[in-house]
């Protein structure tokens, strides 16, 4: 037992904060992620973490609240992608690439200015990789509140969103404004990604957004089980990863420990590989036939 | 501006722009921006790993970028390509974070691997860049016709007995090769922006594949030269200028395409090479 739970796991303040924030982030990311995966917007979902990071480094430079920078950067980036064509089938890939490239260029500039302005080393590392263990407990309510906003947007548009993801023509025929749905979804995605980038770092943000959702969409037969399963996988991977990272302080000789992101991402990646095994993932059924199941059930 | 260390930067920058322009043409045509971002960005973890066990970073980068190309290409057969690319990227980055935590890595090195340190290129780093760059260009030349056909008319290519998945993996390996060559000297950001912006702009100006490639190389060269000059004058990172200039070129290209097709029937996306080939 001693090897599984090293002493002081639950009585440790940062660990408790990490468990709460990690759990909330994992749930929101997984729910948004299911739609991101169904809509094939993983590139945009990942690009928004980097765009949010640019917002964070800009906020650091101007001395604003980093949370404001992350969310603001994400929303502005989502708007720019939408404006130059992320919603359109063709050119969406290039539009995302251009926004991402520009954002990364600005991030390079701000990080450079940050390091020349103040001698605070660690800014680059913290903005890029984040750390779930260094979260300020006072941000917990704010993170939970904004997560609720993202979830509320998704819940309120979930039916038209799913329909438009599967058949644009059918949705248009029912008189639903596709563009408005797409923009609302991008905003929800930007808020969720911005939050998770600042809470758990940009690596984990993409991992929690795409990994659990992609695994569950491979297995689940309809939308609701897919959402529940994605959230459960995300939370399980996050909490196990935190446990392993905490324990790893005792494993590695240098007693420095391994980063929590390494464990969480490895668990998620493993989970994706396992769901691809035929007997687990109900074979290699074409993604479209699985999508049809989802749409029939909800229709 | 043209002496000593700056001369190395001009040479390397020119080579990177040529490779970026040529490979970028296919990246934009095939809609492979995500792998083109993921492979260089994730491969920097390989350099961190090589640093940890004390071997040449170039080997670590090469191993990681080739593994990424094979992994993305292989897993994408059974799953969604974009989700698989995202997962491969985060897995590599997480490994990189683990390597960095084990070594006592000095922070500016992360910055330079991600955003490039082209002004600090030393003379003995130029030879590998030129060799690997030549390999990339030769590979694209060999793959040119089947890749073009498979990118524009996948059905026709399949009917002619080409295997699109093998071509996809071969193309990802070309991206991996370009990555290995460029990340140590110019960073992951710079090669990505040089692949996307100039090529997307060039494809707004012309419908022909040959002209589009020449155009994207020319725009990429202009971009990197202007960026080097500005970075030299202002001391700001080269990557910033390259990405901003690339975006400006793309904007100019989109504007030209919209003006050219007329505002009346301004289309959602500009006429690209794909249209020209499917029409002919």
């Amino acid at each position: 037992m001693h090897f599984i739970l090293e002493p002081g796991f639950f009585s440790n303040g940062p660990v408790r904060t990490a468990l709460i924030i990690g759990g909330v982030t994992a749930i929101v990311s997984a729910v948004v992620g299911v739609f991101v995966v169904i809509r094939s917007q993983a590139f945009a979902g990942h690009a928004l973490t980097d765009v949010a990071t640019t917002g964070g480094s800009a906020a650091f430079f101007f001395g604003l609240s980093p949370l404001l920078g992350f969310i603001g950067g994400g929303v502005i980036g989502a708007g720019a992608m939408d404006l130059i064509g992320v919603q359109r089938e063709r050119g969406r890939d290039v539009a995302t690439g251009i926004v991402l490239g520009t954002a990364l260029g600005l991030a390079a500039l701000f990080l450079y200015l940050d390091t020349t302005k103040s001698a605070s080393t660690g800014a680059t590392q913290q903005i890029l990789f984040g750390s779930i263990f260094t979260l300020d407990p006072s941000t917990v309510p704010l993170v939970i509140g904004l997560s609720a906003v993202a979830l509320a947007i998704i819940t309120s548009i979930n039916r038209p969103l799913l329909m438009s993801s599967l058949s644009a023509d059918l949705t248009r025929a029912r008189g639903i404004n596709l563009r408005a749905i797409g923009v609302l979804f991008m905003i929800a995605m930007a808020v969720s990604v911005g939050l998770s980038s600042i809470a758990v770092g940009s690596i984990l943000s993409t991992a929690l957004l795409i990994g659990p959702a992609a695994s569950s969409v491979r297995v689940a037969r309809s939308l609701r089980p897919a959402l529940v399963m994605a959230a459960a996988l995300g939370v399980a991977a996050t909490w196990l990863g935190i446990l392993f990272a905490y324990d790893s302080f005792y494993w590695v000789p240098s007693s420095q420990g391994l980063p929590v992101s390494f464990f969480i991402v490895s668990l998620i990646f493993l989970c994706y590989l396992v769901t691809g095994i035929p007997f687990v993932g109900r074979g290699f059924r074409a993604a479209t036939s699985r999508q049809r199941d989802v749409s029939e059930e909800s229709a | 501006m043209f002496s000593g260390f700056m001369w190395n930067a001009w040479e390397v920058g020119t080579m990177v722009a040529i490779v970026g322009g040529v490979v970028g043409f296919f990246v934009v045509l095939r809609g492979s921006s995500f792998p083109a971002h993921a492979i260089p960005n994730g491969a920097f973890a390989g350099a961190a790993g090589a640093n940890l066990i004390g071997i040449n970073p170039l080997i670590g980068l090469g191993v990681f970028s080739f593994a990424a190309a094979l992994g993305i290409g292989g897993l994408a057969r059974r799953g969604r390509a974009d989700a698989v690319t995202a997962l491969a990227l985060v897995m590599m980055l997480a490994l990189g974070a683990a390597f960095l935590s084990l070594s006592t890595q000095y922070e500016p090195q992360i910055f330079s691997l991600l955003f490039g340190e082209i002004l600090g290129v030393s003379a003995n780093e130029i030879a590998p860049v030129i060799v690997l760059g030549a390999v990339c260009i030769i590979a694209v030349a060999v793959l040119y016709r089947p890749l073009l056909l498979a990118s524009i008319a996948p059905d026709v290519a399949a009917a002619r007995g080409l295997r699109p998945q093998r071509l996809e993996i071969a193309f990802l390996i070309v991206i991996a090769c370009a990555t290995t060559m460029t990340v140590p000297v110019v960073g992951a950001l710079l090669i990505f922006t040089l692949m996307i912006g100039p090529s997307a702009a060039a494809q707004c100006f012309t419908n022909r594949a040959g002209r589009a490639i020449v155009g994207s190389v020319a725009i990429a060269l202009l971009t990197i030269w202007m960026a080097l000059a500005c970075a030299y004058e202002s001391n700001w990172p080269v990557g910033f200028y390259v990405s901003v200039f690339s975006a400006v070129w793309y904007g100019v290209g989109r504007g030209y395409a919209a003006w050219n097709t007329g505002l009346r029937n301004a289309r959602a996306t500009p006429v690209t090479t794909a249209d020209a080939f499917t029409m002919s």
Side-chain angles (χ1 to χ4, degrees), chain A residues 36-38 40-43 46 50 84 88 90-91 93-95 97-98 100-102 104-109 111-113 121-125 128-129 203 206-207 210-211 214 217-218 252 256-259 261-262 265-266 268-269 272-273 284 287 291, chain B residues 27-28 30-34 37 41 44 75 78-80 82-84 86-91 93-95 97-98 100-103 107 110-111 114-115 189 192-193 196-197 200 235-237 239-240 243-244 246-247 250 254 267-270 272 274-275:
Chain A
V36 173
V37 169
I38 293 178
S40 294
Q41 286 188 325
F43 188 24
H46 166 73
D50 286 340
I84 65 174
R88 299 182 191 110
R90 283 182 51 196
D93 174 74
V94 167
I98 298 278
L100 174 59
T102 313
L104 285 172
L106 288 173
L109 179 65
L111 288 174
Y112 167 79
L113 293 176
T121 53
T124 311
Q125 177 123 24
L128 288 178
F129 297 108
I203 303 175
T206 302
I210 306 299
V217 166
R218 276 176 146 183
V252 186
Q256 200 184 1
L258 287 164
S261 57
F262 169 69
V265 172
S266 302
I268 285 174
F269 194 67
Y272 180 76
L273 292 182
F284 306 132
Q291 286 183 355
Chain B
V27 170
V28 170
R30 296 173 67 81
S32 307
S33 301
F34 197 11
H37 164 73
N41 228 18
F44 102 92
L75 285 174
R78 297 178 180 174
R80 292 153 189 275
D82 64 331
V84 166
L87 284 172
L89 169 61
V90 289
M91 192 64 236
L93 286 175
L95 279 173
L100 286 177
S101 83
L102 288 176
S103 66
E107 193 198 344
I110 311 172
F111 185 84
L114 280 177
F115 299 116
L189 160 69
F192 170 68
T193 39
I196 308 295
N235 244 345
W236 285 5
F240 165 70
S243 66
V244 168
S246 297
Y250 177 68
R254 282 290 294 267
R267 299 185 36 182
T269 40
T272 62
D275 292 319

Side-chain angles (χ1 to χ4, degrees), chain A residues 118-169:
Chain A
S118 59
S120 62
T121 53
T124 311
Q125 177 123 24
Q126 224 218 307
I127 291 172
L128 288 178
F129 297 108
S131 179
I132 201 169
F133 284 131
T134 55
L135 280 171
D136 185 359
S138 66
T139 59
V140 173
L142 198 58
V143 168
I144 293 178
L146 283 166
S147 305
V149 171
L151 276 184
I153 298 179
I154 291 289
T155 319
S156 60
I157 61 168
N158 90 81
R159 288 288 296 275
L161 184 61
L162 181 65
M163 205 199 289
S164 70
S165 315
L166 301 172
S167 165
D169 295 336

